[in-house]
Structure formats: structure tokens, C-alpha cells
Amino acid sequence: MRERIECDVAIVGGGIVGGSAALFLRQAGLSVTLLERDWCGAKASGVNFGGVRRQGRPLEQLPLSQRAHAIWGRLPELLGTDAEYIRSGHLKLARSEPDLESLIAYRERSQGFGLGLEIIVGEEFRRRWPALGDRAIGGSLCPEDGHANPRLISPAFARAAAALGAVVREQTPVDRVEKDGDRFVLLSGDALEVRARFLLNTAGAWSWRLAEAFGEPVPLESLHPNMAVTEPLPRFLDVNIGVEGGGVYGRQVPRGNMVVGGGRGFALDADRARPQRDAVLTLMRDAAELFPQLRHAHVIRCWTGVEGYTPDRNPIIGPSRTTPGLFHAFGFSGAGFQIGPGVGQTLAELVTSGETPMPLEAFRIDRFSPTA
């Protein structure tokens, strides 16, 4: 017999965006059913680097990023865990004068968003981070950015929503979605039917399927981040590190393990990916150039995942242009971890009041259509 659930809001996808939206919707008093075909937080939200970074984002993302920053500061109150979140600072390194000029230009453009960026060079840079070797000539520090453990926090939002009464179903793929009058109807095989007034599409790299079902095709590409973690090492790094122009990024957790990222894994199929041996070797070689302490470190684990990328590397956030009651949030292009809770809160506002103070024009779903 098919189980039937009636609710105000159905959410497809239990990553950090879907889970946080469920939590904020329950706090607003709406009934919520969250459907996740795997385990909550098992996909992109749980396999990323763990950087909680505002610095370096496109300016149009910064209002949402600032909103998320405030939520990150309330994790124990909201979730009952800090998920190893540390406001360590995020230091973006410059390896050349043009890189440094680029960091200075970003600081000027982002003034007014409250990032508090500091450009640090020369002797002051060497005094503050003597362990960074000589590959960097300076950097830009965002003092209140940091890092967290994505494997802890991403499922924690869904668990907190469930504790407030949300129905959270894991291992529950959605096979068909349609609209029947003013209700969305979601079917998971013959086992489950969910009917809801509102539908949130937060299914990550697979969100294009649901968008396309409602006449909104999106050119979403799947890519696979390449990550590795070393054995515990003597502490030498107290900030989350990025590099201007990309390449390598790294952070050292309090236990001493060094988490590094860079390069790409490869797809096994549409749903799974694996680290690429040559990419891991290149990553560790490049990381050891920045962090000489890694030259003889053992890698104890490497991994990848499946992330959805848009052509302009900005996410899709906001209401459907074809279907009232449907809202999208996906395509974060490898940068959804920090901003995710702010997006979840924004989706909850759109559902409960039909509006939000967050500027979303840059994230319209129809911006890729030929007539946009």
C-alpha cells in the first residue's frame, strides 16, 4: 500500500541547502517533508573541502554570504553542535605582484560588505605565518572566515529539522513530480506519495532533472573536486588557505591533519565519482610547495564527489519562471557550503511571505535561455 503524506512544503535534496530550508520552515510553523535519495549530506554538501569562506566570492553573492555568516555563528543554538566550525580566518595567498594587485582590487570592490579584508605583505606576512615557506609574497586575510567539518554539519541541519517535526525520508528517490491543481505530487516508486503546496528543488547536481520537468532546462555540468587528508602533523597553520588564481587550498584541523584540495576526480557514471591518481599526486606535490611541512607526510584518505556547475559559476536561486510554488536552489559550482544556510533561510522566506530582502536577480533560472 502506498503511503501518502500531505504537507505545506516538499523538499527534494537533503544537502545543506535543503536541510537548512527545512529547519527554517519548521521554525516558521509549516509542515515539511524532505526527500533524499541517498543520505542527508552525503553528496556535494558532505564531500567538499569544508572552507567557510566569504572572501573571493562574486560581489552578487556577498549579501547571501553575509546572511549565512550570521547563521554559522549560531550553530550550537540551531543544531546542538558546532560541527568543528572555527573562525580561523581565511588567508588568500599572492604568489606574484599581479596576484597581489588582484587581491587589493577585490578588497576595494568588496568594501561595504563587511568582510574586513586585510592586505598583509613583506616582513609582517613572514612574522605572522613563518611556516608558509617562500612561495607567497603576501596575502589577503578575512579574519572571520574559517572552516568546518562538512561530514558533521550537512546532515545536522536535516536532523535538527526532524527534531522540530519535519518528515525526513532518506534512501527515498523521487521518480516523478507533477502538479495537480494547486498541489505538487511527488512519487517514490509505489511506496510513497507526497502532496505539497510548495516544492523546493535543492537536489544539487541532479536538480536539472526537476527543473526540466517543469519546462526550465538548465546547462548544468557535473564536476568532481579532488581532496586529500594527511596523517596528524605538528601544528603549523592556524588559517584556512586559498591561492589567488586557484590551484591549491588547505586547512589544518586541531588534531593536526592537513586537508588539501585541488584538481579533479573523474566520473564513474552520472551519480558516482572517484579520485584520480595522477591528480592526487599533482595535488600533493603542489601542496608541498606551499606547505613544506607536507613533504614527507602520509596521505591517509582521498576522495571526491559530484557537484553541479553553471556556465557563469553563479548558482540558481529563486522562484520558477513557469510554475507558481516551485523554488530552485542549485548549481553552486563548488562554493555552496558557506552560503548554503543563508540560501535555506531565503527559500523559507520566499515560501512563507513570497518575498525576501536578499537580491536574487543575478541567480534567475532563465538567465541562460536564448531570450533572457
Side-chain angles (χ1 to χ4, degrees), residues 257-306:
N257 308 79
M258 188 73 184
V259 183
V260 294
R264 299 290 183 196
F266 66 98
L268 290 174
D269 53 37
D271 297 336
R272 300 175 300 158
R274 289 286 183 272
Q276 191 152 240
R277 180 177 179 275
D278 289 347
V280 173
L281 293 174
T282 299
L283 166 63
M284 294 312 299
R285 182 199 65 203
D286 293 346
E289 287 185 6
L290 273 183
F291 314 115
Q293 298 80 359
L294 300 187
R295 283 176 184 160
H296 303 291
H298 292 96
V299 172
I300 61 173
R301 188 168 69 90
C302 55
W303 70 95
T304 185
V306 182

Coordinates of all heavy atoms in Angstrom, one line a residue, residues 257-306:
N257 N 45.7 17.0 11.4 CA 45.6 16.5 10.0 C 45.5 17.7 9.1 O 44.8 18.7 9.4 CB 44.3 15.7 9.8 CG 44.2 14.6 10.8 OD1 43.8 14.8 11.9 ND2 44.5 13.4 10.4
M258 N 46.1 17.6 7.9 CA 46.0 18.7 6.9 C 45.1 18.2 5.8 O 45.3 17.2 5.2 CB 47.4 18.9 6.3 CG 47.5 20.1 5.4 SD 47.5 21.7 6.3 CE 47.5 22.8 4.9
V259 N 44.1 19.0 5.6 CA 43.1 18.8 4.5 C 43.5 19.7 3.3 O 43.7 20.9 3.5 CB 41.7 19.1 4.9 CG1 40.7 18.8 3.8 CG2 41.3 18.3 6.2
V260 N 43.7 19.1 2.1 CA 44.1 19.9 1.0 C 43.2 19.5 -0.2 O 42.6 18.4 -0.3 CB 45.6 19.6 0.6 CG1 46.5 20.1 1.6 CG2 45.8 18.2 0.3
G261 N 43.0 20.4 -1.1 CA 42.2 20.2 -2.3 C 42.8 20.9 -3.5 O 43.6 21.8 -3.4
G262 N 42.4 20.4 -4.7 CA 42.9 20.9 -6.0 C 42.8 19.9 -7.0 O 42.9 18.7 -6.8
G263 N 42.5 20.3 -8.2 CA 42.4 19.3 -9.4 C 41.0 18.7 -9.4 O 40.1 19.1 -8.6
R264 N 40.9 17.6 -10.2 CA 39.6 17.0 -10.4 C 39.7 15.5 -10.3 O 40.7 14.9 -10.7 CB 39.0 17.3 -11.8 CG 38.7 18.8 -12.0 CD 37.6 19.3 -11.2 NE 37.3 20.7 -11.5 CZ 36.6 21.5 -10.7 NH1 36.0 21.0 -9.6 NH2 36.4 22.7 -11.0
G265 N 38.6 14.9 -9.7 CA 38.4 13.4 -9.9 C 37.8 13.1 -11.2 O 37.7 14.0 -12.1
F266 N 37.3 11.9 -11.3 CA 36.6 11.5 -12.6 C 35.3 10.8 -12.3 O 35.2 10.2 -11.3 CB 37.6 10.7 -13.5 CG 37.8 9.3 -12.9 CD1 37.1 8.2 -13.3 CD2 38.8 9.1 -11.9 CE1 37.4 6.9 -12.8 CE2 39.1 7.9 -11.4 CZ 38.4 6.8 -11.8
A267 N 34.4 10.9 -13.3 CA 33.1 10.3 -13.1 C 33.1 8.8 -13.4 O 33.7 8.4 -14.4 CB 32.1 11.0 -14.0
L268 N 32.5 8.0 -12.5 CA 32.3 6.6 -12.9 C 31.0 6.4 -13.7 O 30.9 5.6 -14.6 CB 32.1 5.8 -11.6 CG 33.4 5.6 -10.7 CD1 33.0 4.9 -9.4 CD2 34.4 4.8 -11.5
D269 N 30.0 7.2 -13.3 CA 28.8 7.3 -14.1 C 28.1 8.7 -13.7 O 28.8 9.5 -13.1 CB 27.9 6.1 -13.8 CG 27.6 5.9 -12.3 OD1 27.5 6.9 -11.6 OD2 27.6 4.7 -11.9
A270 N 26.9 8.8 -14.0 CA 26.2 10.1 -13.7 C 26.1 10.4 -12.2 O 25.9 11.5 -11.8 CB 24.8 10.2 -14.3
D271 N 26.2 9.4 -11.4 CA 25.9 9.5 -9.9 C 27.2 9.4 -9.0 O 27.1 9.7 -7.9 CB 24.9 8.5 -9.5 CG 23.5 8.7 -10.2 OD1 23.3 9.8 -10.6 OD2 22.8 7.7 -10.3
R272 N 28.2 8.8 -9.6 CA 29.4 8.5 -8.8 C 30.7 9.0 -9.4 O 30.8 9.1 -10.6 CB 29.5 7.0 -8.6 CG 28.3 6.4 -7.9 CD 28.4 4.9 -7.8 NE 28.5 4.3 -9.2 CZ 29.1 3.1 -9.5 NH1 29.6 2.4 -8.5 NH2 29.2 2.7 -10.7
A273 N 31.7 9.3 -8.5 CA 33.0 9.7 -9.0 C 34.1 9.1 -8.1 O 33.8 8.7 -7.0 CB 33.0 11.2 -9.0
R274 N 35.3 9.2 -8.6 CA 36.4 8.7 -7.9 C 37.6 9.6 -8.0 O 37.7 10.4 -9.0 CB 36.9 7.3 -8.4 CG 35.9 6.2 -8.2 CD 36.0 5.7 -6.7 NE 35.1 4.6 -6.4 CZ 33.9 4.7 -6.1 NH1 33.3 5.9 -5.9 NH2 33.1 3.6 -5.8
P275 N 38.5 9.7 -7.0 CA 39.7 10.5 -7.1 C 40.6 10.0 -8.2 O 40.5 8.8 -8.5 CB 40.4 10.3 -5.7 CG 39.4 9.8 -4.8 CD 38.4 9.0 -5.7
Q276 N 41.3 10.8 -8.8 CA 42.2 10.4 -9.9 C 43.6 10.4 -9.4 O 44.1 11.4 -8.9 CB 42.1 11.5 -11.1 CG 42.7 11.0 -12.3 CD 42.0 11.7 -13.5 OE1 41.5 11.0 -14.4 NE2 42.0 13.0 -13.6
R277 N 44.3 9.2 -9.6 CA 45.6 9.0 -9.0 C 46.6 10.2 -9.4 O 47.2 10.7 -8.5 CB 46.1 7.7 -9.5 CG 47.5 7.3 -9.0 CD 48.0 6.0 -9.4 NE 49.3 5.6 -8.9 CZ 50.4 6.0 -9.6 NH1 50.4 6.7 -10.7 NH2 51.6 5.6 -9.0
D278 N 46.7 10.5 -10.7 CA 47.6 11.5 -11.1 C 47.3 12.9 -10.5 O 48.2 13.7 -10.2 CB 47.7 11.6 -12.6 CG 48.3 10.4 -13.3 OD1 48.9 9.6 -12.5 OD2 48.2 10.2 -14.5
A279 N 45.9 13.1 -10.4 CA 45.5 14.4 -9.8 C 45.9 14.5 -8.3 O 46.3 15.6 -7.8 CB 44.0 14.6 -10.0
V280 N 45.8 13.4 -7.6 CA 46.2 13.4 -6.2 C 47.7 13.6 -6.1 O 48.1 14.4 -5.2 CB 45.8 12.1 -5.5 CG1 46.3 12.0 -4.1 CG2 44.2 11.9 -5.5
L281 N 48.5 13.0 -6.9 CA 49.9 13.1 -6.9 C 50.3 14.6 -7.2 O 51.2 15.2 -6.5 CB 50.6 12.2 -7.8 CG 50.5 10.7 -7.5 CD1 51.1 9.8 -8.6 CD2 51.2 10.4 -6.2
T282 N 49.6 15.2 -8.2 CA 49.9 16.6 -8.5 C 49.5 17.5 -7.4 O 50.2 18.4 -7.0 CB 49.2 16.9 -9.8 OG1 49.6 16.1 -10.9 CG2 49.4 18.4 -10.1
L283 N 48.3 17.2 -6.8 CA 47.9 18.0 -5.7 C 48.9 18.0 -4.5 O 49.2 19.0 -4.0 CB 46.5 17.4 -5.2 CG 46.0 18.0 -3.8 CD1 45.8 19.4 -3.9 CD2 44.7 17.2 -3.4
M284 N 49.4 16.8 -4.1 CA 50.3 16.7 -3.0 C 51.6 17.4 -3.3 O 52.2 18.0 -2.5 CB 50.5 15.3 -2.6 CG 49.2 14.6 -2.0 SD 48.4 15.6 -0.8 CE 49.6 15.8 0.5
R285 N 52.1 17.3 -4.6 CA 53.3 18.0 -5.0 C 53.1 19.5 -4.9 O 54.0 20.2 -4.3 CB 53.7 17.6 -6.4 CG 55.0 18.2 -6.9 CD 55.0 18.2 -8.4 NE 54.0 19.1 -9.0 CZ 53.5 18.9 -10.2 NH1 54.0 18.0 -11.0 NH2 52.6 19.8 -10.7
D286 N 52.0 20.0 -5.4 CA 51.8 21.4 -5.4 C 51.6 21.9 -3.9 O 52.0 23.0 -3.5 CB 50.5 21.8 -6.2 CG 50.8 21.6 -7.7 OD1 51.9 21.4 -8.1 OD2 49.8 21.6 -8.4
A287 N 50.9 21.1 -3.1 CA 50.6 21.5 -1.7 C 51.9 21.6 -1.0 O 52.1 22.5 -0.1 CB 49.7 20.5 -1.1
A288 N 52.8 20.6 -1.2 CA 54.1 20.6 -0.5 C 55.0 21.8 -0.9 O 55.8 22.2 -0.1 CB 54.9 19.3 -0.8
E289 N 54.8 22.4 -2.1 CA 55.5 23.6 -2.5 C 55.0 24.8 -1.6 O 55.8 25.6 -1.2 CB 55.3 23.9 -3.9 CG 56.1 22.9 -4.8 CD 56.0 23.3 -6.3 OE1 55.4 24.4 -6.6 OE2 56.4 22.6 -7.2
L290 N 53.7 24.8 -1.3 CA 53.2 25.9 -0.5 C 53.4 25.6 1.0 O 53.7 26.5 1.8 CB 51.7 26.0 -0.7 CG 51.2 26.9 -1.8 CD1 49.7 27.0 -1.8 CD2 51.8 28.3 -1.7
F291 N 53.3 24.3 1.4 CA 53.4 24.0 2.8 C 54.6 22.9 2.9 O 54.3 21.7 2.8 CB 52.1 23.3 3.3 CG 50.9 24.1 2.9 CD1 49.9 23.6 2.1 CD2 50.7 25.4 3.4 CE1 48.8 24.3 1.8 CE2 49.5 26.1 3.1 CZ 48.6 25.5 2.3
P292 N 55.8 23.4 3.1 CA 56.9 22.4 3.1 C 56.8 21.3 4.2 O 57.4 20.3 4.1 CB 58.1 23.3 3.5 CG 57.7 24.7 3.0 CD 56.2 24.8 3.2
Q293 N 55.9 21.6 5.2 CA 55.7 20.6 6.2 C 55.0 19.3 5.7 O 55.0 18.2 6.3 CB 54.8 21.1 7.3 CG 55.4 22.3 8.0 CD 55.3 23.6 7.2 OE1 54.7 23.7 6.1 NE2 55.8 24.7 7.8
L294 N 54.5 19.3 4.4 CA 53.8 18.2 3.9 C 54.8 17.3 3.1 O 54.3 16.2 2.6 CB 52.7 18.6 3.0 CG 51.6 19.5 3.6 CD1 50.5 19.7 2.6 CD2 51.0 18.8 4.8
R295 N 56.0 17.6 2.9 CA 56.9 16.9 2.0 C 57.0 15.4 2.3 O 57.2 14.6 1.5 CB 58.3 17.6 2.0 CG 58.3 18.9 1.2 CD 59.6 19.6 1.2 NE 59.5 20.9 0.5 CZ 60.3 21.9 0.6 NH1 61.3 21.8 1.5 NH2 60.2 23.0 0.0
H296 N 57.0 15.1 3.6 CA 57.1 13.7 4.0 C 55.9 13.1 4.7 O 55.9 12.1 5.4 CB 58.4 13.5 4.9 CG 59.6 14.0 4.2 ND1 60.2 13.4 3.1 CD2 60.4 15.1 4.5 CE1 61.3 14.0 2.8 NE2 61.4 15.1 3.6
A297 N 54.8 13.8 4.5 CA 53.5 13.4 5.2 C 52.9 12.3 4.4 O 52.9 12.2 3.2 CB 52.6 14.6 5.3
H298 N 52.2 11.4 5.2 CA 51.4 10.4 4.5 C 50.0 10.8 4.3 O 49.4 11.4 5.2 CB 51.4 9.1 5.4 CG 52.7 8.5 5.6 ND1 53.6 8.7 6.6 CD2 53.4 7.6 4.8 CE1 54.7 8.0 6.4 NE2 54.6 7.3 5.3
V299 N 49.5 10.5 3.1 CA 48.0 10.8 2.9 C 47.3 9.5 3.4 O 47.6 8.4 3.0 CB 47.8 11.0 1.4 CG1 46.3 11.0 1.1 CG2 48.5 12.2 0.9
I300 N 46.3 9.8 4.2 CA 45.5 8.7 4.8 C 44.2 8.5 4.1 O 43.6 7.4 4.3 CB 45.3 8.9 6.3 CG1 44.5 10.1 6.6 CG2 46.7 8.8 7.0 CD1 44.1 10.3 8.1
R301 N 43.8 9.5 3.3 CA 42.5 9.3 2.6 C 42.4 10.3 1.5 O 42.9 11.5 1.7 CB 41.3 9.4 3.6 CG 39.9 9.1 3.0 CD 38.9 9.0 4.1 NE 38.6 10.3 4.7 CZ 37.6 11.1 4.2 NH1 36.9 10.8 3.1 NH2 37.4 12.3 4.8
C302 N 41.8 10.0 0.4 CA 41.5 10.9 -0.7 C 40.1 10.6 -1.1 O 39.6 9.5 -1.0 CB 42.5 10.9 -1.8 SG 42.7 9.3 -2.6
W303 N 39.4 11.6 -1.6 CA 38.0 11.5 -2.0 C 37.6 12.5 -3.0 O 38.3 13.5 -3.3 CB 37.1 11.5 -0.8 CG 37.0 12.9 -0.2 CD1 36.0 13.8 -0.4 CD2 37.8 13.5 0.8 NE1 36.2 14.9 0.4 CE2 37.3 14.8 1.1 CE3 39.0 13.1 1.5 CZ2 37.9 15.6 2.0 CZ3 39.6 13.9 2.4 CH2 39.1 15.1 2.7
T304 N 36.4 12.3 -3.6 CA 35.8 13.3 -4.5 C 34.3 13.2 -4.3 O 33.8 12.5 -3.4 CB 36.2 13.1 -5.9 OG1 35.7 14.1 -6.8 CG2 35.7 11.7 -6.5
G305 N 33.6 13.8 -5.2 CA 32.1 13.8 -5.1 C 31.6 14.4 -6.4 O 32.3 14.6 -7.4
V306 N 30.3 14.7 -6.5 CA 29.6 15.2 -7.7 C 29.0 16.6 -7.3 O 28.1 16.7 -6.5 CB 28.5 14.2 -8.2 CG1 27.9 14.8 -9.4 CG2 29.1 12.8 -8.4

